[in-house]
Amino acid sequence: MNYYSLNKKAPNTSFKDAVIKGLAPDKGLYFPESITPLPQSFFDDIDNLSHTEIAFEAIKQFVTPEIPEAVLKTIVEETLSFDFPVVQFNKNISTLELFHGPTMAFKDVGARFMARCLGYFNKDNSEEVTILVATSGDTGGAVANGFLGVKGVNVVILYPSGKVSDIQEKQLTTLGQNIKALEVNGSFDDCQAMVKTAFLDEALTSKMQLTSANSINVARWLPQLFYFMFAYKQLHKKYKNIVFSVPSGNFGNICAGMMAQQLGLPITHFIASNNENNVVTRYLKSQNYQPQASVQTISNAMDVGDPSNFIRIQEIYKNNFDALKENLSSYSFSDETTKAAMLEIYEQFNYVADPHGAVGYLGCKAYLKNNKEAHGVFLETAHPTKFLDVVEDVIKEKQPLPAQIKAVMDKEKVATKISTYSDLKDFLLK
Ligand SMILES: Cc1ncc(COP(=O)(O)O)c(C=O)c1O
Ligand SMILES: N[C@@H](CCOP(=O)(O)O)C(=O)O
């Protein structure tokens, strides 16, 4: 499959090149040249397909022939070595748990898939790649884990100082080897802007092959479309009118869901559930897209003021505001409302939600108020113990720690503090 740049000022390129470059030379995000819906028989037969068979069929057109089918099968099998269960709360609401991977957030799938694609492209170790990642909390840990020890790959993670949870910080600063962490005096948007600037800085790109493992990169972004198919498989016999509420920050996940819908998955509607970083909620009300400096919240991984992927969503809907509004609702919630929702979920359903999932739950409820016939699935995007302080404070109960969290708790943080783009450049050139 070939990809074009959404800035339309760079040549179209192959999947391989799009993955290795991350961002197009004109600073645009790559987007597939075509999207061919899957045959109806795929959806009719979905109950008989395993997760890996579903994933293979769904992503094949986007990555072949650069990744041969036999290799793709192995990549998908290795990527999806954990579960994606749906937990039903009642006849109107379910949650899809996306936190059963090694770093307990939904980023594990994209990071593991991309690591294997890059590993395949660099199988003869001919070219060293430096991966730059900006994280508001979870991408960093998932990428660190996914790329740890991968030959020929150096990973540099930028995270906003004091704005990620303690566990998230441990996950991205303690692995060592080919993983380096930079603690940035700024916000996630500052980290993301520095990364994008680096891609276009010839003084760097002439000396090293830089790429991204954020959802900018098509190999990190597209595998997220699997989740929506896995949920559909578990629910479609009971419910015909399925809507997804996606806790959103950089809008990669919800945009991947829209790609699943383009492939023919019968999703009735999407809900972008936001914390107070709500550029998209405001846009759907005013038709005026106004990114703003991010504010800090308890759902910190969604503290994004200028989401990268909204431009891909605009592309899917051909910049038609009415068509987008028909398929997407968006709501924004304060920390106080989010905490109240965490308590409500615990008391009513005996379920411990993390703050991001709780925002998704609230979005679901808001939409269902006027759409009572729908079944809402909110994505539980991270395990609650990644946000231990908030969760235990709200539900007033100690949480048992999963093995993945225990494994990093007592490790020593190693990070270099930086403040400006020139600090990043110096670090990379050292
Ligand atoms: C736990 C969690 N929920 C939600 C999000 C938002 O996802 P996206 O950036 O794809 O919108 C993130 C970060 O990406 C996250 O880590
Ligand atoms: N919420 C993310 C922010 C980056 O999102 P990405 O999907 O573009 O990597 C995080 O947890 O880091």
Side-chain angles (χ1 to χ4, degrees):
M1 167 70 71
N2 277 350
Y3 288 77
Y4 60 96
S5 163
L6 290 177
N7 281 355
K8 316 249 164 84
K9 292 193 185 92
N12 291 11
T13 196
S14 64
F15 174 68
K16 177 178 175 181
D17 208 40
V19 175
I20 291 174
K21 284 206 179 84
L23 198 64
D26 62 356
K27 219 176 173 177
L29 268 65
Y30 280 117
F31 197 83
E33 268 185 357
S34 63
I35 306 169
T36 308
L38 294 165
Q40 186 53 43
S41 55
F42 170 84
F43 299 104
D44 294 343
D45 199 32
I46 201 160
D47 292 335
N48 300 318
L49 301 178
S50 65
H51 281 158
T52 52
E53 286 167 334
I54 292 171
F56 173 78
E57 289 303 330
I59 203 145
K60 191 169 62 180
Q61 63 176 292
F62 299 115
V63 306
T64 56
E66 293 91 334
I67 304 263
E69 289 197 8
V71 175
L72 178 61
K73 275 197 177 131
T74 309
I75 290 179
V76 161
E77 250 162 44
E78 288 176 4
T79 298
L80 300 174
S81 59
F82 42 88
D83 204 8
F84 303 85
V86 167
V87 177
Q88 282 199 51
F89 283 11
N90 58 32
K91 72 175 179 24
N92 288 113
I93 300 188
S94 297
T95 183
L96 172 67
E97 292 185 344
L98 297 176
F99 55 66
H100 294 276
T103 68
M104 311 208 88
F106 75 95
K107 309 284 174 161
D108 281 323
V109 166
R112 286 155 70 86
F113 185 88
M114 182 186 157
R116 284 162 177 78
C117 290
L118 259 191
Y120 174 74
F121 292 141
N122 199 25
K123 53 186 177 308
D124 53 3
N125 291 324
S126 55
E127 204 175 359
E128 276 223 341
V129 180
T130 299
I131 296 183
L132 288 184
V133 194
T135 187
S136 53
D138 288 316
T139 297
V143 169
N145 184 283
F147 286 85
L148 182 67
V150 175
K151 271 204 185 135
V153 177
N154 302 307
V155 177
V156 179
I157 303 169
L158 287 79
Y159 72 98
S161 181
K163 298 189 175 77
V164 303
S165 79
D166 292 347
I167 306 262
Q168 287 172 326
E169 188 172 40
K170 290 279 180 171
Q171 287 180 322
L172 63 94
T173 58
T174 61
L175 296 191
Q177 297 185 47
N178 57 331
I179 316 292
K180 304 276 181 299
L182 299 180
E183 183 174 358
V184 177
N185 180 15
S187 65
F188 166 76
D189 293 301
D190 297 327
C191 299
Q192 188 155 252
M194 282 191 202
V195 167
K196 286 184 178 169
T197 305
F199 288 139
L200 300 178
D201 187 338
E202 265 197 32
L204 290 176
T205 54
S206 59
K207 294 198 174 63
M208 60 189 77
Q209 178 62 60
L210 290 179
T211 192
S212 161
N214 281 106
S215 53
I216 291 170
N217 196 305
V218 292
R220 225 314 305 283
W221 165 58
L222 284 169
Q224 299 178 163
L225 68 83
F226 304 157
Y227 306 143
F228 301 83
M229 299 201 169
F230 298 163
Y232 175 79
K233 176 182 165 168
Q234 293 172 70
L235 289 169
H236 77 108
K237 280 208 188 122
K238 267 186 152 166
Y239 305 109
K240 297 297 162 216
N241 183 349
I242 298 176
V243 302
F244 282 97
S245 169
V246 185
S248 294
N250 225 5
F251 279 74
N253 212 19
I254 196 165
C255 185
M258 290 169 175
M259 292 296 281
Q261 191 186 41
Q262 296 291 306
L263 289 175
L265 189 72
I267 299 171
T268 313
H269 199 76
F270 286 97
I271 302 146
S273 298
N274 287 155
N275 58 27
E276 285 188 282
N277 296 288
N278 55 11
V279 55
V280 173
T281 313
R282 287 183 281 112
Y283 171 68
L284 289 181
K285 278 202 186 111
S286 66
Q287 212 171 335
N288 185 13
Y289 194 74
Q290 278 294 343
Q292 261 177 10
S294 59
V295 294
Q296 204 168 343
T297 74
I298 57 166
S299 46
N300 63 281
M302 306 196 302
D303 294 350
V304 181
D306 188 4
S308 277
N309 287 285
F310 198 64
I311 184 143
R312 284 189 173 132
I313 293 180
Q314 296 285 48
E315 185 71 4
I316 292 174
Y317 293 96
K318 312 264 180 288
N319 291 304
N320 180 331
F321 181 76
D322 293 333
L324 174 62
K325 234 186 139 170
E326 187 73 3
N327 200 38
L328 177 69
S329 300
S330 182
Y331 307 94
S332 157
F333 303 98
S334 69
D335 278 355
E336 283 323 300
T337 313
T338 305
K339 285 184 188 170
M342 289 163 70
L343 194 59
E344 177 178 309
I345 296 169
Y346 186 57
E347 289 177 348
Q348 282 190 18
F349 306 112
N350 196 23
Y351 188 89
V352 182
D354 94 291
H356 304 75
V359 171
Y361 168 81
L362 285 164
C364 228
K365 277 196 20 171
Y367 177 81
L368 291 174
K369 241 185 221 161
N370 296 320
N371 297 277
K372 296 198 167 38
E373 72 300 341
H375 187 82
V377 183
F378 73 91
L379 305 192
E380 181 41 306
T381 43
H383 193 274
T385 55
K386 290 192 87 167
F387 312 93
L388 205 55
D389 294 353
V390 182
V391 171
E392 290 184 343
D393 181 53
V394 169
I395 67 167
K396 310 280 180 240
E397 196 163 285
K398 262 229 113 23
Q399 294 301 293
L401 294 182
Q404 294 99 309
I405 304 291
K406 275 190 198 151
V408 293
M409 287 280 280
D410 299 322
K411 288 198 174 160
E412 200 188 327
K413 159 182 162 183
V414 180
T416 304
K417 292 198 175 189
I418 66 163
S419 295
T420 60
Y421 175 68
S422 108
D423 295 340
L424 169 64
K425 194 164 167 176
D426 290 348
F427 181 87
L428 292 171
L429 289 172
K430 239 193 319 193

